[in-house]
Amino acid sequence: MGVASVSVISLAVLAAFSFLCVDGDGIPTTLDGPFKPLTVPLDTSFRGNAVDLPHTDPRLQRTVQGFEPEQISVTLSATYDSVWISWVTGEFQIGDNIKPLDPKSVASQVFYGKKKHRLVHMSNGHSLVYNQLYPFEGLQNYTSGIIHHVRLTGLKPDTVYYYQCGDASIPALSDIHHFKTMVASGPRSYPNRIAVVGDLGLTYNTTSTISHLMSNDPDLIVLVGDVCYANMYLTNGTGSDCYSCSFSQTPIHETYQPRWDYWGRFMQPLTSKIPIMVVEGNHEIEEQAENQTFVAYSSRFAFPSRESGSSSTFYYSFNAGGIHFIMLGAYISYDKSEEQYKWLERDLKKVDRKVTPWLVATWHPPWYSTYKAHYREAECMRVAMEDLLYNYAVDIVFNGHVHAYERSNRVYNYSLDPCGPVHITVGDGGNREKMAIPHADEPGQCPEPSTTPDKYMGGFCAFNFTSGPAAGRFCWDRQPDYSAYRETSFGHGILEMKNETVALWTWHRNQDFYNLAGDQIYIVRQPYRCPVETKVI
């Protein structure tokens, strides 16, 4: 190791030590770990209101006229100098005799600039319409409004831009909105706050989650899958908290696609100004005719796939200041011979930790959840990809899927490891399926192994543990050592990077006052102790 490397390492150690000593706020750090596993007892007095907002709620109503834009959202591109603006024009149709709108009938234009009344720049984009079709008598088909995606380029970092979207020739333009670009990438350059939320849905709990989230004034929102739960409904709009329980005889898993439009309208006050990055969850599968899946998800959101070298909406990457985010697909092939794995390896090789020191990975189903719900469901994905993420020293992993909160100690291959990532499950956004409560390590709660594989992806990789305290068993008989903190409650999280080696993670419960923390920890990188293996560079 050369003198320069030693100097860089010394500076990193000093930065972390200095910040934590000077801050002195009593918040624990991962350097204090591994922590003794903690389970916060279930608060039986709080259940929230996991009931979907009705279509009559004013926040879900269409308030524009003709081809004026609605459901407006901002998405980041791969780097700070570019964003996507997306919106919908025209009305959806649902029924037996639907006629798709012509995307070419309305232009996709965004007028923008640094001053509200001087929108001196203009960009054009593309538009599309998607259908959700069912080849069964009695089921209602759906065709969307015209969905527009426009990419703005040449933007300055950390700068507020005002914009107006639509078609100026009709005219059918939106009100003037604004967004702020990401800071430029660098070891001391970070967004102030990043909100992380999963399994959001569109319930009264969702409204509480979003209210709490907005009070934290984030610069970016990461949604780790399961968006609006349109697939909890029949095509006639009848919903249930458990689709398979209520509608077990349907010939195909139906959806009620207008829930997507309702969700876009509800979220617009937030997503029209704060960029939102989404990765697919199992509720976005949405089977339809000709074995098509994920059509609404892939159509409604813009993704920096092409900009990050990906050919898929299921996996992509982007920078947010000195953080490199990797969004992975758990519902598309991930084995070493498949394109997603090859893309991931290429993407990781390109990461310069001197520019983006933090490496954060996100996908929907967790690898390290100790709840009975979805226990070890994504084991095949873990077996395929964990070594690669570990070798490149991923710092933090965010997941959803399990409707509760859990934070791990640093872990790799089910063992405590100071160089493993911290895995955080935030599938507690508020959806109508309600909360996950039993833990797999509680008496009588360990699931039968054959029931655990993900039904969509198939495969079986979850076997009994061969070593450690749970050797010979499928589940631990106590809270596993790798599980640091778990609690069943609705909420969201906030990630704040303090410098290139220290990040503050805060989880907020919905039932608490807005400024209270349910769980809080400083996550400290140790690049001197956990370097990226030179053999994989």
Side-chain angles (χ1 to χ4, degrees), residues 226-261:
D226 284 1
V227 180
C228 72
Y229 289 77
N231 74 335
M232 300 298 289
Y233 286 79
L234 300 180
T235 62
N236 63 13
T238 302
S240 173
D241 297 341
C242 175
Y243 186 99
S244 61
C245 306
S246 301
F247 313 127
S248 60
Q249 302 304 313
T250 55
I252 190 173
H253 191 130
E254 301 177 29
T255 71
Y256 188 63
Q257 289 295 298
R259 297 300 299 184
W260 280 99
D261 297 282

Side-chain angles (χ1 to χ4, degrees), residues 165-209:
C165 59
D167 185 339
S169 68
I170 294 179
L173 292 171
S174 70
D175 293 336
I176 296 176
H177 300 276
H178 68 275
F179 64 86
K180 188 177 182 181
T181 53
M182 285 291 108
V183 293
S185 292
R188 296 174 179 82
S189 180
Y190 299 97
N192 290 325
R193 284 171 294 279
I194 299 171
V196 185
V197 65
D199 302 68
L200 196 55
L202 190 55
T203 69
Y204 291 97
N205 283 328
T206 306
T207 66
S208 176
T209 300

Side-chain angles (χ1 to χ4, degrees), residues 50 52 196-203 205-206 209-210 222-229 263 278-284 331 363-366 374 398-404 424-436 489-491 510:
D52 272 346
V196 185
V197 65
D199 302 68
L200 196 55
L202 190 55
T203 69
N205 283 328
T206 306
T209 300
I210 294 301
V222 176
L223 175 51
V224 295
D226 284 1
V227 180
C228 72
Y229 289 77
W263 191 89
V278 183
V279 71
E280 82 282 355
N282 58 298
H283 282 274
E284 281 73 71
Y331 303 99
W363 59 90
H364 186 58
H374 308 301
F398 289 115
N399 306 115
H401 201 39
V402 176
H403 301 159
I424 299 174
T425 298
V426 285
D428 55 345
N431 72 87
R432 71 176 296 166
E433 286 185 310
K434 300 181 171 59
M435 297 183 287
S489 186
F490 293 115
N510 281 2

